[in-house]
Amino acid sequence: MKEIKDFCPICEFKAEITQGPHNDYVDIECPKCGNYQTSDYSVYSSEINKKEDKKPILSHWIRMNQKKGETVKINTDIINKIISEYKLPSLTEQTENFV
């Protein structure tokens, strides 16, 4: 696997990006979004890059859907569904989730 130091395509923080052995997926380890994998270059080419206001939604969804020891897997269909249906929690909901 080829390792590349780069920036997260979602939040643009510095991230570790590792390409799969056959260029069939990319693992992204981001300190803000968390760890996720894409089977294609969907995060680079999807509608998310045209909608800056949707990037925090995708970042939050990835972070909230991580399970211990598992990597979140996303593709173009999942990204489009998230940015069209998922909403960021209100301040009250965030406080309740934190406690």
Side-chain angles (χ1 to χ4, degrees):
M1 287 200 272
K2 184 178 180 184
E3 188 171 312
I4 309 162
K5 289 203 185 273
D6 211 343
F7 294 87
C8 174
I10 297 170
C11 70
E12 299 176 5
F13 271 48
K14 191 161 182 73
E16 292 283 332
I17 300 177
T18 307
Q19 199 159 20
H22 305 290
N23 296 330
D24 52 348
Y25 65 86
V26 177
D27 280 317
I28 300 170
E29 295 179 35
C30 174
K32 183 176 179 184
C33 299
N35 299 341
Y36 62 99
Q37 182 182 89
T38 179
S39 57
D40 52 23
Y41 284 92
S42 55
V43 290
Y44 296 99
S45 62
S46 72
E47 290 296 309
I48 195 74
N49 291 307
K50 298 175 191 163
K51 299 178 181 178
E52 288 293 318
D53 62 320
K54 299 293 184 178
K55 288 185 174 189
I57 292 171
L58 182 57
S59 177
H60 185 268
W61 185 91
I62 290 169
R63 178 62 74 185
M64 296 307 294
N65 282 278
Q66 291 183 16
K67 295 180 179 143
K68 193 170 186 167
E70 292 183 26
T71 300
V72 174
K73 294 181 178 162
I74 59 174
N75 59 35
T76 304
D77 292 337
I78 292 170
I79 290 171
N80 290 334
K81 184 174 177 139
I82 293 165
I83 63 174
S84 68
E85 296 177 7
Y86 189 77
K87 305 288 184 241
L88 288 173
S90 68
L91 186 56
T92 302
E93 290 170 321
Q94 288 181 43
T95 304
E96 289 171 359
N97 289 335
F98 185 72
V99 176

